[in-house]
Amino acid sequence: MFDTVVVATDGSESVKRAIDVSLDLADRFDADVHALSVVDATEVDASPEQLRTELRTALETHADAALGTVEDRSDRTLTTVVREGRPAAEICEYVREIDADLIATGTRGRHGENRLLLGSVAERVVRTSPVPVLTVRQLEPTADPEENAAEPAG
């Protein structure tokens, strides 16, 4: 059913559970996994010109670290990719290019006024994706670390 899964990551806490769930899903279907992180070009373009090179380098370093987190959580061979552009558009374009079957991403679970004011990459991906999108919400921390672990999908 799923031959290729794209895990979209920005390195945030909210995506760690999504990584675990998507890797478990990929294992169950013996699917190829592509980890993708996007350097947000709008952040770079909005910065003062003399800082753009430094900011781009810092964002690329952060993206590489985010991909390293996916690699560290997996015992399988992954394809890792850093792209630059608008995150939701780049994620959907990459999925089309490699003919992926599923996108997995984390979500902070914003709602109400914050969602309307801030928007969300996950929400835009859901609205524009050519394939199904698995959004995995970050769990609220509890006193028991066992309860914070991701449950296997399925």
Side-chain angles (χ1 to χ4, degrees):
M1 183 169 188
F2 299 113
D3 293 323
T4 306
V5 174
V6 173
V7 180
T9 180
D10 61 1
S12 66
E13 285 298 313
S14 65
V15 81
K16 288 182 179 175
R17 185 165 177 259
I19 292 168
D20 293 339
V21 170
S22 62
L23 291 173
D24 181 61
L25 184 69
D27 285 343
R28 291 173 188 247
F29 286 96
D30 194 29
D32 293 331
V33 177
H34 291 242
L36 172 65
S37 189
V38 180
V39 173
D40 190 341
T42 57
E43 272 187 64
V44 175
D45 294 342
S47 68
E49 191 170 333
Q50 56 272 46
L51 297 178
R52 288 181 186 162
T53 301
E54 281 183 56
L55 179 58
R56 180 177 283 111
T57 300
L59 292 172
E60 288 170 353
T61 300
H62 181 77
D64 287 336
L67 296 175
T69 299
V70 180
E71 290 175 313
D72 292 347
R73 295 174 96 83
S74 177
D75 57 358
R76 61 177 35 240
T77 302
L78 309 170
T79 300
T80 58
V81 178
V82 175
R83 307 247 321 220
E84 183 174 337
R86 293 177 165 244
E90 287 297 323
I91 292 165
C92 291
E93 181 61 28
Y94 183 74
V95 163
R96 286 182 188 94
E97 288 174 13
I98 67 165
D99 196 28
D101 302 299
L102 179 75
I103 299 169
T105 188
T107 180
R108 289 174 185 83
R110 289 187 181 126
H111 56 280
E113 189 174 304
N114 285 338
R115 181 187 60 82
L116 294 173
L117 292 174
L118 299 173
S120 122
V121 171
E123 182 180 347
R124 285 188 293 278
V125 169
V126 167
R127 285 190 283 121
T128 60
S129 174
V131 299
V133 179
L134 171 65
T135 60
V136 181
R137 187 171 178 175
Q138 178 182 4
L139 297 177
E140 294 296 324
T142 64
D144 182 4
E146 291 292 317
E147 290 180 32
N148 290 329
E151 294 182 20

